[in-house]
């Protein structure tokens, strides 16, 4: 319950007829206080409904029990799972999260980083999807000052930063190679936004799989990470004179959007068009048809990222590092051989 009257530790000390230091010692379970005094102070704390100001305490101690987490958007199901992994690791170690949603806005990302620095966050976990030189400068300053920083995305601002990495080219290659292995020759890719760092890597992986399968024609349509991006991408692709028989989407949300559009256009999935997503969000296994996808270990990525921060809180001399993760193809019912190849 919050403290509606903003009772201060000074008022508690005055009511208990002891010093502020004695009240602080009782609140922090320090030795050297008699049991009767300890009981009396706790009763007064409860009666006055006093709650210590954790932020003020952290400012005095030049540290905090809070880790700042900046993500691009909370609406993409990828990020809640990532944050859950980070939060579970933090909670087990007595830390909490200060979650900031940048909305993929560089200026907003910088504002949040400055806010977290003013509040002396114990560490920073920053997920980015595009370049931001000013944010990189702030993160480099924090890392140089031995504030733990972990990043995920196309940026690594300082050698002491811990980078969470997964091979985006390999993710797209796995998805495309699966479709080629089923016999598809007209395989399309609804790309991530071209301004995002992972777009080029995933196009490279898509092209590599086509080359391995000796497929020369590319079906590329500019897309994004949203449901609507998948709808627009599928509509554009199926309007082609010779439309694709298979689609790789930028992520699962875009894949679900593509399936929705294909059904409205009277195409069967996977009877006429196979669809593959990326991420393996929770709903991917429960849509109709269940979505074949390239799974990223999202929860584990968040958990290990937070553990890297807390390890450097305990030992600031630890250097930067790279946390590498592998993707895994999950085959479900949204993919099948092309209809002309079915006996």
């Amino acid at each position: 319950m919050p403290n509606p009257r903003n009772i201060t530790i000074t008022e508690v000390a005055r009511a208990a007829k002891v010093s502020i230091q004695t009240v602080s010692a009782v609140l922090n379970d320090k030795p050297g206080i008699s049991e009767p005094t300890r009981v009396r102070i706790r009763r007064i704390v409860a009666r006055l409904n006093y709650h210590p100001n954790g932020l003020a305490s952290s400012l005095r101690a030049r540290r905090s029990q809070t880790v700042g987490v900046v993500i691009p958007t909370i609406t993409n199901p990828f990020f809640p799972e990532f944050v859950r992994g980070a939060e579970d690791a933090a909670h087990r170690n007595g830390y909490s999260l200060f979650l900031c949603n940048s909305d993929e806005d560089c200026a907003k990302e910088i504002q949040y980083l400055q806010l977290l620095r003013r509040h002396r966050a114990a560490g920073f976990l920053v997920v980015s999807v595009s370049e931001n030189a000013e944010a990189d400068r702030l993160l480099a300053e924090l890392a140089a000052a031995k504030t733990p920083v972990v990043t995920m995305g196309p940026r690594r601002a300082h050698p002491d930063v811990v980078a969470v990495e997964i091979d985006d080219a390999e993710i797209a290659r796995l998805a495309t190679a699966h479709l080629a292995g089923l016999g598809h020759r007209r395989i399309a890719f609804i790309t991530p936004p071209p301004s995002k760092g992972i777009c080029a890597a995933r196009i490279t992986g898509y092209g590599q799989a086509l080359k391995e399968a000796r497929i020369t024609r590319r079906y590329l349509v500019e897309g994004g990470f949203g449901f609507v991006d998948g709808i627009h991408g599928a509509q554009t692709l199926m309007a082609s004179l010779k439309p694709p028989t298979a689609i790789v989407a930028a992520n699962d949300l875009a894949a679900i959007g593509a399936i929705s559009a294909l059904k409205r256009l009277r195409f069967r999935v996977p009877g006429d068009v196979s669809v593959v997503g990326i991420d393996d969000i929770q709903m991917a296994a429960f849509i109709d048809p269940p979505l074949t996808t390239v799974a990223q270990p999202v929860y584990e990525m968040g958990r290990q990222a937070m553990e890297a921060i807390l390890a450097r809180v305990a030992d600031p001399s630890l250097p930067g590092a790279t946390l590498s993760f592998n993707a895994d193809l999950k085959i479900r019912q949204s993919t099948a051989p092309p209809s002309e190849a079915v006996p």
Side-chain angles (χ1 to χ4, degrees), residues 44-222:
I44 291 170
V45 165
R47 175 167 57 83
L48 296 178
N49 193 26
Y50 169 71
H51 293 269
N53 186 332
L55 177 58
S57 299
S58 70
L59 290 173
R60 286 193 296 272
R62 299 188 64 81
R63 62 183 176 82
S64 167
Q65 293 295 110
T66 301
V67 175
V69 180
V70 183
I71 59 173
T73 173
I74 200 66
T75 59
N76 185 332
F78 176 98
F79 293 108
E81 184 73 5
F82 179 84
V83 171
R84 181 59 186 267
E87 183 179 32
D88 285 353
H91 181 73
R92 283 193 297 269
N93 290 276
Y95 283 77
S96 58
L97 302 189
F98 189 140
L99 181 61
C100 304
N101 181 53
S102 71
D103 291 321
E104 301 184 21
D105 183 328
C106 290
K108 195 173 180 181
E109 182 181 40
I110 293 166
Q111 289 171 358
Y112 276 133
L113 291 176
Q114 292 170 335
L115 173 67
L116 292 167
R117 182 167 64 173
R118 287 197 301 271
H119 285 196
R120 302 187 189 279
F124 290 71
L125 174 52
V126 181
V127 183
S128 59
V129 293
S130 58
E131 299 296 329
N132 189 343
E134 178 62 16
D136 285 351
R137 185 187 66 78
L138 288 172
L139 293 174
E141 289 177 0
L142 290 163
K146 295 302 180 182
T147 298
V149 176
V150 175
T151 62
M152 184 170 76
R155 307 181 341 224
R156 184 168 182 174
H158 189 276
D160 285 339
V161 168
V162 176
V164 177
E165 292 185 355
I166 194 162
D167 190 340
D168 280 296
E170 177 62 11
I171 285 173
R173 192 198 69 79
L174 280 172
T176 310
H178 166 65
L179 294 167
L182 290 173
H184 291 277
R185 306 296 293 175
R186 302 199 302 274
I187 303 172
F189 184 27
I190 302 173
T191 73
S195 61
K196 309 308 178 188
I198 67 174
C199 183
R202 289 192 177 174
I203 290 176
T204 296
Y206 164 77
Q208 181 183 348
L210 294 183
K211 184 177 180 181
E212 291 170 355
R214 299 186 179 182
I215 298 172
T216 56
R217 181 168 181 178
R218 294 189 177 196
Y219 290 77
L220 283 170
V221 60
E222 183 179 313

Side-chain angles (χ1 to χ4, degrees), residues 311-330:
R312 284 156 180 78
V313 170
D315 183 0
S317 68
L318 289 175
T322 299
L323 304 177
S324 297
F325 296 87
N326 295 319
D328 182 32
L329 181 68
K330 300 286 187 182

Side-chain angles (χ1 to χ4, degrees), residues 270-298:
D272 299 312
V273 184
S274 290
V275 179
V276 179
I278 292 170
D279 287 344
D280 195 25
I281 61 177
Q282 287 187 350
M283 70 178 77
F286 301 104
I287 66 166
D288 181 28
L291 181 64
T292 295
T293 183
V294 182
Q296 300 191 63
V298 183

